[in-house]
Amino acid sequence: MKYAPIDTTTHMRRLTVEDADWADLSTKDAKRLATLVITARRFEEKILFLDKRGLVHGPAHSSLGQEAGAAGCLAALPLNTMMNGSHRAHHQVVAKAVNALYTDNFDPSAGSRLRDEMRAEIRMMMHEILGLQDGWTGGRGGSMHLRREALGVMGTNAIVAGGLPIACGHAFAEKARGGDRLTVSFFGDGAIHQGTTHEAMHLAALYRLPMLFFCENNGYAVSTSVEQSTYETNLNTRPLAHGIESLHVDGMDPLAVWLATRWAEDHIRTKGGPAFVQADVYRYYHQSSPIPGSAFGYRSKEEEDAWRARSPWEYLCERLTAHGTVSQQELDAIDAAVSEAMDHAAQSCTEGKGSGMHIPEALWPVPATVDDHLVSDMSEFAGQRAAEPEDFAPGDMREMSFIEAIPATMGAAMAQDPNVVLFGEDVANMGGGTVGATRGLSRFFGTQIINTPITENGFCGLAVGAAMSGMRPIVELMYSDFFLVAADQLFNQAGKIRHLFNGTAQVPLVLRCRLPGLEGYGSQHSMDPTSVFSLFPGWHILAPSNAFDYVGLMNAALRCNDPVLVIEPQALHGRKCPVPADLDYHIPIGRARRVSEGRDLTLLASLGMADPCADLATRMGLSADVIDLRSLSQRDVDYDLIGQSVRKTGRVAVIEQTTRGASFGAFLVDEIQRRFFDHLDQPVKRVTGGWAPPTVSRVLERAALAGEAEIEAALQEMVRDSALRRPSHGNGVRSC
């Protein structure tokens, strides 16, 4: 038996600074570096000052001690670099804001103040952290969710590692458009163990994205040390596994970080792929309080003292003056200018002194604005053609199946707009993906159709970032249940971003989910996602029941500036319907359709249940208003049409194929009874499957989901309860 080492061309190396490196640092670069380091420190000190007085609502994750990492990195990058970070991001964001406004002719040591633009942004950032209306996003983001796109701050994130795939999306969009901006994403040692981090690194390497992964290793995830978190404590092994070159540096040395970042930028631009830098830093205080970690027993005072003795600002001053690069007088002047900006910012949002210091009432947001910017105002649809089947002459229509409508609609959108990009597993393979949903779209492969690995959280997050950067991504999830794997990116990120950032960001993302129905895929491939998505008000949910509706609703989804879920029932794939030849129309979000008209019952259905309800009512001789809801998010339900019907019939049933626990109908029933109680002659009835999810067994699957027998039993019960006379007439004109 013989063993041989496995060679790799991916390097992980340690960078150490030599005296000559300090000598080579120009005065101009040194002053920029010094400005960013002291800005990060003084800003954080001021936040802790306000926090001690109870003026910071919520956590204030201090980064005092870590300032050399962010400052050294950002000082080395171009002004137009995009960045995001995690919950401990004050130092990163304020350094980025100042650097973005740092002009070539600016000398921070020449005057007593920073540039007015810098002072204004520092003030607004401080207002944001305090939750005030003059903050960057109206105070909604607070300390952990900071965004200022004009300065390249794309949005920090309170979910550990949550911002990494989003950063991949920003980088993807930049590369797709032929731009030259880099993206840097900051995260900590705790995030390195998250699967999301590895999915992001995997995708960045696979797609050769212009992105810097910057890991600030402060040694602790709250109180859990790196040694307690992982057997392999060399964190640079993580990017190595993904084929990403990396450096490990002393993060308390601003020049070491600056040099490492210069290497990273050169590597990204010359090698055409991502880079990784790990900087060893130290936070002086506990997770989110102005108290040292030793007070909680997970660190020793000796350890804290040793790290404090290596304070980045003092070390930087000593090295710069020793080499004559910048004088102590100039460094003091920079410190004074920065300190003045911090004092000015704090004074602008407080009144009083000592224990009497408080925030003036006039600075708080208006409570009535709490629901503003949950979703788009739909102005993007102005001037667009909305249509229903009756708006077209028969000669303008052609027969099309549901499965044919899917690639036809996406292909038309891709041909018209290069920003429409499809991500998904196998979408470019097998001549049309796993079920033919991309058939005929091979001409878009590589630019607008992107095969993904099985990394749902990663590629959904990448799509979120791409959408925030102006693209219109479509994400195909092979089966609906897989949204649970990507829940953070879909719900915490995509569904909340517009509101969280007060309308300064939007996520025009379309998520396509296949719903198998009675296909034998079992309980982990058959969940109706409607009820879960309806919990998040940032999402729209569209439920097409035929090819005409698919085209119109998908066109609406692709134009909407919010995230939209489009459900694609596999049982409908082969069903045909007349569709306009040009596909150039949309069905407005929030508009239901009366499938058949009657006077005695109102049946609310969607997806594959609308037509069966109408057929069954006809066979039973019942005069029923059958309404295909089409829009299922709680804010979008067409209560105008429902109300017209309820006032006429007084009897309502909500009919879903799905299981009882996954039913959206509970929300709908509650709202109908609140809105139309006086018009109801009996309680609203719900028709669903059983409590158990469908399993692979044919008979148990059928027993778990609602079908014709359950609908008929419910209608008969409604008839008995109402003593209805069965009319002899039909149900009126039906759509396809």
Side-chain angles (χ1 to χ4, degrees):
M1 186 165 52
K2 182 179 179 181
Y3 297 98
I6 297 175
D7 296 328
T8 175
T9 57
T10 303
H11 301 293
M12 55 177 182
R13 291 169 288 190
R14 182 178 297 276
L15 182 151
T16 56
V17 176
E18 298 177 340
D19 198 59
D21 296 317
W22 286 101
D24 289 341
L25 184 65
S26 71
T27 297
K28 184 177 181 180
D29 286 335
K31 287 184 176 180
R32 180 192 295 266
L33 187 57
T35 301
L36 268 58
V37 170
I38 195 59
T39 294
R41 168 168 287 196
R42 298 296 182 236
F43 185 88
E44 201 72 303
E45 288 173 343
K46 190 61 71 174
I47 292 297
L48 284 180
F49 169 83
L50 296 170
D51 187 43
K52 288 178 180 179
R53 284 151 183 79
L55 301 182
V56 179
H57 186 62
H61 297 92
S62 170
S63 57
L64 270 178
Q66 297 187 194
E67 54 267 16
C73 173
L74 292 164
L77 291 172
L79 303 188
N80 66 354
T81 298
M82 295 179 286
M83 67 146 284
N84 71 4
S86 62
H87 56 284
R88 193 180 309 281
H90 300 162
H91 61 312
Q92 301 155 5
V93 174
V94 75
K96 179 69 176 80
V98 169
N99 193 55
L101 298 168
Y102 201 109
T103 57
D104 283 341
N105 60 358
F106 174 58
D107 183 351
S109 65
S112 59
R113 294 175 15 146
L114 297 179
R115 296 183 61 212
D116 287 344
E117 295 89 343
M118 294 175 178
R119 296 171 75 250
E121 295 297 342
I122 290 169
R123 176 183 58 79
M124 286 188 286
M125 179 179 168
M126 191 172 291
H127 280 233
E128 180 62 33
I129 290 172
L130 296 185
L132 308 182
Q133 64 179 346
D134 290 336
W136 278 341
T137 55
R140 290 187 180 180
S143 170
M144 296 185 288
H145 317 93
L146 296 164
R147 174 177 166 83
R148 186 65 161 169
E149 185 177 7
L151 303 178
V153 181
M154 307 306 288
T156 63
N157 208 293
I159 303 299
V160 172
L164 285 166
I166 295 175
C168 289
H170 297 312
F172 181 94
E174 186 68 13
K175 181 178 180 179
R177 293 171 178 158
D180 65 353
R181 290 191 299 172
L182 303 182
T183 300
V184 56
S185 190
F186 291 96
F187 57 102
D189 51 282
I192 204 77
H193 310 303
Q194 278 273 10
T196 303
T197 302
H198 292 271
E199 292 189 26
M201 287 194 288
H202 182 79
L203 293 171
L206 178 64
Y207 300 141
R208 312 307 296 152
L209 299 181
M211 179 173 167
L212 170 57
F213 291 86
F214 195 96
C215 177
E216 291 183 306
N217 180 3
N218 65 27
Y220 295 89
V222 187
S223 65
T224 303
S225 68
V226 171
E227 291 75 18
Q228 290 175 307
S229 298
T230 180
Y231 178 77
E232 175 52 78
T233 58
N234 181 355
L235 303 187
N236 283 64
T237 58
R238 278 49 164 190
L240 175 69
H242 298 284
I244 300 176
E245 301 263 334
S246 67
L247 287 181
H248 188 180
V249 300
D250 177 4
M252 305 299 277
D253 182 343
L255 181 60
V257 181
W258 188 83
L259 291 169
T261 306
R262 294 284 294 271
W263 164 84
E265 181 187 1
D266 180 69
H267 175 84
I268 292 168
R269 296 196 187 282
T270 58
K271 299 295 180 65
F276 183 104
V277 171
Q278 178 191 176
D280 292 336
V281 296
Y282 199 78
R283 55 175 164 86
Y284 291 162
Y285 295 107
H286 179 55
Q287 168 77 349
S288 59
S289 69
I291 302 171
S294 57
F296 298 90
Y298 65 88
R299 301 195 305 205
S300 68
K301 291 184 177 180
E302 291 74 18
E303 177 186 303
E304 292 173 342
D305 290 343
W307 280 95
R308 282 180 176 272
R310 303 185 59 234
S311 173
W313 173 244
E314 285 73 14
Y315 177 71
L316 180 62
C317 291
E318 186 273 323
R319 299 305 294 160
L320 293 180
T321 55
H323 282 272
T325 310
V326 184
S327 70
Q328 187 61 55
Q329 183 179 4
E330 290 174 309
L331 291 168
D332 290 342
I334 293 172
D335 190 356
V338 168
S339 297
E340 186 279 335
M342 304 308 158
D343 291 340
H344 166 74
Q347 290 165 8
S348 72
C349 56
T350 59
E351 290 179 346
K353 294 182 179 180
S355 60
M357 183 175 286
H358 64 278
I359 296 171
E361 287 296 322
L363 299 182
W364 294 107
V366 178
T369 65
V370 64
D371 284 343
D372 288 359
H373 302 297
L374 275 173
V375 292
S376 167
D377 61 5
M378 299 296 168
S379 59
E380 60 265 34
F381 290 96
Q384 297 300 305
R385 178 192 190 189
E388 296 289 353
E390 55 269 23
D391 297 325
F392 297 92
D396 296 331
M397 308 281 269
R398 55 178 169 137
E399 288 289 309
M400 180 180 285
S401 68
F402 195 100
I403 190 61
E404 291 171 335
I406 297 174
T409 311
M410 291 192 295
M414 289 176 182
Q416 187 176 31
D417 184 356
N419 287 312
V420 177
V421 179
L422 171 65
F423 297 95
E425 297 152 2
D426 300 299
V427 292
N429 294 348
M430 299 183 289
T434 55
V435 294
T438 55
R439 185 171 290 122
L441 301 182
S442 59
R443 67 190 184 278
F444 299 108
F445 175 55
T447 55
Q448 290 176 264
I449 294 184
I450 312 297
N451 267 347
T452 67
I454 302 175
T455 55
E456 284 89 356
N457 202 46
F459 65 73
C460 284
L462 190 154
V464 171
M468 291 176 69
S469 286
M471 301 194 83
R472 291 192 171 270
I474 305 168
V475 173
E476 175 181 301
L477 290 184
M478 194 177 293
Y479 291 95
S480 55
D481 304 63
F482 298 173
F483 79 84
L484 294 168
V485 183
D488 174 56
Q489 292 300 323
L490 296 176
F491 301 137
N492 263 327
Q493 313 300 339
K496 295 179 180 178
I497 279 174
R498 177 188 285 274
H499 182 259
L500 176 63
F501 293 133
N502 203 19
T504 66
Q506 59 188 27
V507 185
L509 165 71
V510 177
L511 179 69
R512 295 175 38 238
C513 284
R514 176 156 46 121
L515 189 62
L518 297 169
E519 300 288 340
Y521 280 91
S523 65
Q524 294 180 337
H525 283 67
S526 303
M527 180 180 183
D528 185 337
T530 302
S531 62
V532 177
F533 277 83
S534 68
L535 298 173
F536 294 85
W539 278 90
H540 303 284
I541 306 167
L542 301 183
S545 61
N546 55 67
F548 181 93
D549 282 8
Y550 187 90
V551 174
L553 292 173
M554 187 63 172
N555 282 337
L558 287 166
R559 177 161 291 276
C560 185
N561 288 333
D562 295 321
V564 181
L565 168 67
V566 178
I567 304 173
E568 299 173 357
Q570 192 164 326
L572 299 180
H573 279 188
R575 187 175 298 179
K576 291 192 173 184
C577 177
V579 173
D582 63 6
L583 307 183
D584 185 21
Y585 65 94
H586 80 277
I587 295 172
I589 295 173
R591 178 188 290 177
R593 178 170 176 79
R594 183 179 280 111
V595 175
S596 61
E597 189 166 359
R599 66 171 184 269
D600 296 324
L601 301 175
T602 297
L603 306 182
L604 306 179
S606 62
L607 299 169
M609 301 301 275
D611 284 344
C613 282
D615 292 338
L616 183 59
T618 298
R619 294 202 305 270
M620 294 177 66
L622 299 175
S623 180
D625 249 12
V626 179
I627 295 175
D628 186 347
L629 295 169
R630 299 199 292 199
S631 291
L632 301 181
S633 40
Q634 293 187 57
R635 289 164 58 90
D636 294 332
V637 172
D638 190 349
Y639 288 108
D640 289 339
L641 183 58
I642 292 172
Q644 293 173 21
S645 182
V646 171
R647 293 183 185 96
K648 176 175 59 175
T649 68
R651 303 167 185 89
V652 186
V654 179
I655 299 170
E656 302 171 272
Q657 186 181 41
T658 190
T659 60
R660 195 74 168 179
S663 166
F664 168 73
F667 300 113
L668 197 55
V669 169
D670 175 73
E671 194 68 23
I672 289 170
Q673 293 186 153
R674 291 176 187 276
R675 290 173 181 250
F676 309 118
F677 183 81
D678 291 342
H679 301 279
L680 292 171
D681 295 332
Q682 60 181 230
V684 180
K685 185 170 291 297
R686 290 173 61 197
V687 178
T688 69
W691 287 103
T695 55
V696 173
S697 169
R698 185 186 302 273
V699 295
L700 294 179
E701 178 183 60
R702 173 62 191 85
L705 299 175
E708 185 174 297
E710 288 76 17
I711 300 172
E712 183 173 1
L715 297 186
Q716 289 175 344
E717 186 176 348
M718 293 175 76
V719 169
R720 287 195 302 270
D721 290 348
S722 310
L724 283 176
R725 179 180 62 85
R726 295 191 178 189
S728 58
H729 52 74
N731 280 34
V733 180
R734 290 183 50 199
S735 74
C736 68

